[in-house]
Amino acid sequence: MFTSSTHAIPETRAIPRHVAIIMDGNGRWAKQRFMPRIAGHRKGADAVRAAVRACAERGIEYLTLFAFSSENWRRPAEEVSMLKQLFRSALENEVAKLHENNIRLRVIGDIAAFGEDIVRLVREGEALTANNTRLTLTIAANYGGRWDLLQAVNRLVTEHPEKAGRYTEADLAPYLSMHYAPEPDLFIRTGGEQRISNFLLWQLAYTEFYFTDLLWPDFNAVALDKAIESYQRRERRFGRTSEQVAQAAREAAGASSVVELPDPRQKLAS
Ligand code: IPE
Ligand code: IPE
Ligand code: MG
């Protein structure tokens, strides 16, 4: 079980452990080039490959990508159908490569709506890569933060009616779609909008937010490094004061230097 940021202070590292991204701006990228929206989505898929590689190289352990929201069904039927097709071919063509690179694939969201063939490809891909350890790549597809909370609450209440009125965060946690991952440290949204669009509502409670005007197809390793640099300048207080954060850092540094300093008596003897 991972630490809840509202119950305990998670460890802060220079490289975020979990990065969650809203990949926005594919349509505008295509429009700027007088191309159909789907061309932007195809280019966006290339940017996904680059982002996965860059995250693995930087030691990020979890990368979560918002690919299709529960509200994206409102788009024209043709675009929805092409996005589904793109998802299917990505599953067919990329899973073996993920596996070769020791990457674990997970998909969150109500994927039954995409049809049996996609569900089967997802389950096969997840099973094949289940024991990989380098990076966990999560694709959120037909995902909505409210859907996630509701499905979790409904299952919890059904399975544990005896605890009604006394549920805790720890009771709910295993039912949430991302129960296998720590909460995101860094949230990135490309495309210039500054909103969550029903992404990971519960899990983003103490996540650092980073917005960039870059359109998703233009997002690359350099852009990722900029986001990480911004993250490294943040002070993650988790409700504490600045002074308390500084004190905790001094204590952590002090504790490790006590262990690492050589014993002066040994120096005299040698
Ligand atoms: C994000 O790009 C991809 C999906 C939502 C599937 P958009 O398609 O939303 O691109 P814009 O926002 O219209 O530019
Ligand atoms: C959010 O992008 C969802 C995905 C990136 C999959 P949208 O483009 O759908 O978000 P809104 O509608 O502008 O908020
Ligand atoms: Mg958009």
Side-chain angles (χ1 to χ4, degrees), residues 7-174:
H7 281 197
I9 294 159
E11 186 197 346
T12 296
R13 306 178 187 177
I15 294 295
R17 204 174 165 198
H18 183 174
V19 176
I21 308 182
I22 296 188
M23 311 182 287
D24 198 16
N26 293 349
R28 278 164 284 168
W29 185 93
K31 197 172 176 195
Q32 283 173 358
R33 289 161 181 77
F34 306 101
M35 289 155 93
R37 291 180 61 86
I38 190 66
H41 295 313
R42 282 203 197 96
K43 198 75 187 170
D46 294 340
V48 168
R49 272 177 226 111
V52 172
R53 191 175 316 120
C55 285
E57 284 168 1
R58 281 153 186 75
I60 289 161
E61 292 173 50
Y62 298 85
L63 172 64
T64 302
L65 302 174
F66 205 4
F68 191 90
S69 77
S70 43
E71 290 69 46
N72 285 145
W73 296 104
R74 294 168 180 162
R75 295 192 176 197
E78 193 197 356
E79 181 171 348
V80 170
S81 154
M82 284 178 165
L83 281 168
K84 234 160 64 173
Q85 180 52 42
L86 195 60
F87 187 32
R88 185 187 296 112
S89 58
L91 287 164
E92 284 165 347
N93 300 322
E94 306 292 336
V95 168
K97 285 181 231 164
L98 293 177
H99 190 46
E100 272 169 36
N101 286 291
N102 195 16
I103 293 168
R104 173 167 73 148
L105 173 71
R106 300 291 298 244
V107 176
I108 57 168
D110 193 4
I111 56 165
F114 292 127
E116 271 174 30
D117 55 340
I118 288 187
V119 172
R120 182 177 45 79
L121 285 166
V122 165
R123 295 303 165 227
E124 284 171 4
E126 287 180 328
L128 177 73
T129 62
N131 297 320
N132 292 343
T133 53
R134 185 158 187 217
L135 168 80
T136 297
L137 169 66
T138 300
I139 304 293
N142 193 20
Y143 179 86
R146 291 191 181 178
W147 165 83
D148 195 4
L149 283 166
L150 282 173
Q151 67 78 27
V153 168
N154 280 321
R155 286 198 294 143
L156 171 62
V157 172
T158 306
E159 290 178 28
H160 295 285
E162 76 288 352
K163 248 197 132 177
R166 291 178 290 114
Y167 298 123
T168 64
E169 269 199 29
D171 293 327
L172 186 68

